[in-house]
Amino acid sequence: MDLMANTLLAAGASPAMIHTIEEIPDFTPHIDGLCINIGTLSSTWLPSMKAAATLANQLGKPWVLDPVAVSASDFRLKSCLELLNFKPTVIRGNASEILALSSASKGSDKGVDSSHRSTDAVEAAKSLAKSTGAIVAVSGAVDVITDGQQVVGAHNGVPMMQRITATGCAVTALIAAFLAAEPLHALEATASALSIFGVTGEMGNDLAKGPASLRMHLIDSLHGLDEVAVISRVNITNMP
């Protein structure tokens, strides 16, 4: 939650990290975008997630699902399949998570670390996008984004970002912020968020001595990002 909230603040968004069901009716009407992350899933938090997604849909607000380690337990998989019924705007995960969610069967991934490349999950991502109506994003060395037909790749980032806990969660939150700004262009907003987060990782890596300092410099780079850096560094391409 800490890295997600600080990423949103650095990007100019206003985060609220809510999980108590009693607060959902008060907070959700004021949102511009919703991020549901199952990283710390519990039986008491799941009803809050469903209630928030229901209300976001009623209000016409976009929401993003992060199926963290979806195949690590039956409870996670079942919960994510239930959440898909609430029609997320975007689903963002690593390749192993998207493969498992797409096939709706327990896989052999190791928690939140992906044992597959993002390009291994292109067809699974397209299938999941078609069946859910969501934009599906697969994080990896190349971030793959698809609506089930069009496939684009975001080619930014550095390997050391994988050594920092919750960078995937943070970029999912950033996608929600970009969707809030561009709700009618979900694929473009998702690709832009992934690419720009990767750009800030590249910029932070130039100053970092290791994962801990990269975490700090990544947030600083996002906070100080300007149009020149975006135009010169963003690398998004169409993929076959």
Side-chain angles (χ1 to χ4, degrees), residues 53-198:
T54 297
L55 195 48
N57 285 336
Q58 291 173 354
L59 296 168
K61 304 296 185 181
W63 74 276
V64 187
L65 174 64
D66 194 328
V68 181
V70 60
S71 66
S73 72
D74 290 337
F75 178 55
R76 284 179 180 269
L77 181 57
K78 180 175 181 291
S79 298
C80 277
L81 291 175
E82 291 174 0
L83 287 167
L84 290 182
N85 292 326
F86 295 87
K87 299 297 181 183
T89 311
V90 175
I91 303 164
R92 200 289 317 167
N94 64 38
S96 295
E97 291 161 351
I98 297 303
L99 284 163
L101 190 57
S102 181
S103 64
S105 63
K106 184 178 288 188
S108 59
D109 72 45
K110 48 176 187 174
V112 299
D113 302 317
S114 180
S115 56
H116 299 87
R117 296 175 300 177
S118 57
T119 49
D120 295 334
V122 172
E123 292 306 315
K126 290 171 68 175
S127 176
L128 184 60
K130 290 176 182 177
S131 65
T132 62
I135 301 299
V136 176
V138 189
S139 293
V142 176
D143 299 319
V144 175
I145 307 97
T146 182
D147 59 3
Q149 299 293 332
Q150 183 181 7
V151 181
V152 301
H155 303 261
N156 294 102
V158 293
M160 197 187 297
M161 294 173 75
Q162 299 174 17
R163 301 295 181 183
I164 305 171
T165 298
T167 50
C169 300
V171 78
T172 302
L174 191 63
I175 289 169
F178 276 50
L179 283 173
E182 286 288 345
L184 300 180
H185 302 94
L187 188 144
E188 292 86 349
T190 302
S192 297
L194 286 159
S195 183
I196 285 175
F197 192 71

Side-chain angles (χ1 to χ4, degrees), residues 43-55:
S43 57
T44 55
W45 286 21
L46 183 58
S48 300
M49 296 175 178
K50 293 178 178 179
T54 297
L55 195 48

